[in-house]
Amino acid sequence: MAEFTVGEADFLLDGRPVRLLSGALHYFRVHEAQWPHRLRTLRAMGLNCVETYVPWNLHEPREGRYRDVAALGRFLDAAREAGLWALVRPGPYICAEWENGGLPSWLTGRLGPRARTRDPGYLDLADSWLRRVLREVVPRQADRGGPVLMVQVENEYGSYGSDLPYLEHLAGTLRDAGVTVPLFTSDGPEDHMLTGGSVPGVLATANFGSGARDAFAALRRHRPHGAHGPLMCMEFWCGWFGHWGGAEPVVRSPAEAAEALREILECGASVNVYMAHGGTSFGGWAGANRAGELHDGALQPTLTSYDYDAPVDEYGRPTEKFRRFRDVLAPYAEGPLPPLPPPPPALGAPTGARPVRWAPLGAVVDALGGEETETALPPSFEDLDVDRGLVRYRLDVPGPRRPYPLRVTGLRDLAVAYVDGRRVGVLGTHAGADAGGEDGNGNGGGDAESVAVGKVAGPAAVELWVESLGRVNYGPRLGEPKGITGGVLHERQYVHGVRARGLRLDALEEPGALDRVPFVPLAGPLDTAHGGEGELPDAGRGLFRGSVEVRGAGDAVCAPEGFTRGHVWVNGFCLGRYWATGPQRTLYVPGPVLREGANEVWVLELERASAPYLRFGTPEDPPEADRTGTRGGNRGRPGAV
């Protein structure tokens, strides 16, 4: 057991001053079998502590139905085994470029902007979550022989709101649930953020990527008596993240980042490197941002890769930034640094496979989706209990009537549109999207979430297949609903009577789920028995299934060739979203997911496929020799993670 306290000027461990040299590693972005390797790599860089968020929505995907919350406890045990202390940030909100900032969609769908406030309905749910997750934390606190030194109250609340009673309530909940180690908050080093996010009696820390002296001066101004308490940069942004359809992310110079880290330490401060190892947003859990200074512009969906240009890259390999950071950190370590652990095994030989079976998307939704509803106006994803996935909307334009413009209002985020069975366009409201259909009918209006299907005469049957590209994880648009959140207009008249059925991504992972899907065999590159030579109906949208032979199971990358946009599973493990729009070109396959011999693969293609093929290679020699877009640079936006 150890006593960790916040002193007048230092952190104290059993009464002795100690500097926290921490690194962020999200256990949910790393395959569990690889935790020991990644944690030992952090130790070898010179860190003595690891920090992690805890995503509420991952562990309670449906209200009252918890899923493997014990994973947090196992991770903390692994940290202790690796010789690391731990900082835990349980939310309820975490940001982290994670779907909905970690808040469950069933919660924000019900409460809207009342989430993250003192609203009694929200507090009841947040308290229930914290009490559940703290069962894994409380027994592992330092004063009980565990690794946990501190626990965070909320996360960067000053970037969002100013509800001090809400923060004080959460701090009380943590204490009532048994947290005896120090509490802390973290915010950007700006007056309004520190004012809105700080809690009297709780240690305030700052998040930034450079300018440590100025940032710490701002932090001191917001503390009682000026210099009271140790200084800590809780998020030292050593890199950044990227967005689908965006430019190639900026890579932060290792030398420049190392000097910024050195400045933090020269201030006598503790630090948490964000990210020390970023990992991957498996399972389609990547979030999204809104463009513009006010975070109210076009949607910017975040890449599956969360490499972050971290010192330990997405594959767990030390980079030049790792070596530079190690040189900076070594003088502050107690004793010599441990050596690097052996690298994890890599794929023995390149391999690949063509899918051998296929089912049209409509059949997949009918087999695995929820019940079809009929309502006057389109229901949202939240109404249909869909967190990640898609919704099929069907409606009838009455007739006879002239060909008036058909428009979808409040579209979030992307739709494939059909009129009388004919595909007329892919409609999008995210950054870089063409808001009009493939027939050339553009947006033509000021509403960024209003898109034109085209001119349609009645009667007509309309289908809109809408996909969520990730819920906003930061800023005032947090918790906004997905799907068609307005309505469908023909000329200026709403079309009422909408039939909708949703498909959750996790429905494909339920035992026996794929056995219920009516697959048909594929002959050659594409099925010549359906739709003509070399073509599949509906442009190949649907579920592809096959097997890939592996010799020498180990870390690999997967290139979905001939596919456009969707998700890949290997042996039931969802690698995440792929998208031909880039800039990310391949998906990381953790070695423990693969096995010798046959490996089952399936792909849910949501837009178009032509001669589909799954190619697997090693991280050192990826299938397309292209990892561009999987690493980011720090752009200095305060409070961004």
Side-chain angles (χ1 to χ4, degrees), residues 243-245 248-249 280 302-306 314 575 577-588 626-630:
H243 295 121
W244 291 111
E248 301 295 342
T280 311
T302 303
L303 299 176
T304 296
S305 170
Y306 201 61
E314 185 176 10
L575 304 180
R577 184 191 309 277
Y578 65 87
W579 198 350
T581 191
Q584 181 177 345
R585 303 298 177 188
T586 61
L587 293 170
Y588 172 49
D626 183 3
R627 284 192 61 238
T628 59
T630 63

Side-chain angles (χ1 to χ4, degrees), residues 8 12 92 98 190 323 358 449 462 494 504:
E8 287 294 315
L12 302 174
W98 189 258
E190 300 185 21
R323 289 179 277 275
W358 172 81
E449 292 176 348
V462 178
Y494 279 107
R504 294 170 61 106

Side-chain angles (χ1 to χ4, degrees), residues 168-194:
E168 291 178 324
H169 176 95
L170 292 186
T173 298
L174 295 174
R175 291 300 188 203
D176 291 344
V179 175
T180 51
V181 296
L183 303 178
F184 68 93
T185 60
S186 64
D187 289 283
E190 300 185 21
D191 288 340
H192 69 286
M193 294 180 181
L194 289 167

Side-chain angles (χ1 to χ4, degrees), residues 84-343:
L84 292 166
W85 298 105
L87 308 176
V88 180
R89 306 167 84 181
Y93 163 82
I94 63 170
C95 186
E97 286 70 59
W98 189 258
E99 164 85 6
N100 219 25
L103 297 176
S105 58
W106 54 260
L107 177 145
T108 54
R110 182 188 313 168
L111 298 176
R114 290 182 290 153
R116 298 187 77 190
T117 72
R118 72 186 83 178
D119 177 81
Y122 173 71
L123 292 180
D124 286 346
L125 295 168
D127 288 349
S128 178
W129 159 246
L130 290 174
R131 286 193 293 267
R132 178 63 186 88
V133 74
L134 289 172
R135 295 182 200 172
E136 305 299 325
V137 177
V138 168
R140 294 175 172 89
Q141 295 178 103
D143 55 8
R144 301 192 187 192
V148 178
L149 297 180
M150 292 198 295
V151 175
Q152 180 169 283
V153 179
E154 236 268 0
N155 181 58
E156 294 185 322
Y157 190 70
S159 299
Y160 180 79
S162 57
D163 193 348
L164 179 59
Y166 162 58
L167 296 180
E168 291 178 324
H169 176 95
L170 292 186
T173 298
L174 295 174
R175 291 300 188 203
D176 291 344
V179 175
T180 51
V181 296
L183 303 178
F184 68 93
T185 60
S186 64
D187 289 283
E190 300 185 21
D191 288 340
H192 69 286
M193 294 180 181
L194 289 167
T195 300
S198 300
V199 181
V202 173
L203 178 71
T205 65
N207 301 338
F208 53 86
S210 58
R213 290 179 175 82
D214 290 341
F216 288 138
L219 181 60
R220 288 191 186 280
R221 288 197 302 271
H222 286 266
R223 284 183 169 177
H225 315 300
H228 177 76
L231 296 173
M232 183 164 187
C233 176
M234 189 53 65
E235 291 184 10
F236 165 55
W237 304 322
C238 64
W240 211 245
F241 52 92
H243 295 121
W244 291 111
E248 301 295 342
V250 176
V251 175
R252 188 174 188 185
S253 158
E256 190 270 335
E259 285 307 305
L261 174 61
R262 190 188 308 277
E263 182 183 0
I264 292 172
L265 299 177
E266 288 176 348
C267 291
S270 291
V271 67
N272 178 52
V273 177
Y274 194 101
M275 298 289 298
H277 171 52
T280 311
S281 297
F282 300 116
W285 283 106
N289 294 105
R290 285 285 182 177
E293 291 186 6
L294 299 179
H295 301 281
D296 60 355
L299 189 82
Q300 298 174 311
T302 303
L303 299 176
T304 296
S305 170
Y306 201 61
D307 179 273
Y308 210 87
D309 195 25
V312 181
D313 74 6
E314 185 176 10
Y315 308 126
R317 303 176 301 190
T319 66
E320 174 61 21
K321 190 172 291 182
F322 174 97
R323 289 179 277 275
R324 298 266 188 163
F325 281 17
R326 179 182 167 100
D327 289 343
V328 172
L329 293 166
Y332 298 91
E334 295 184 359
L337 299 183
L340 275 167

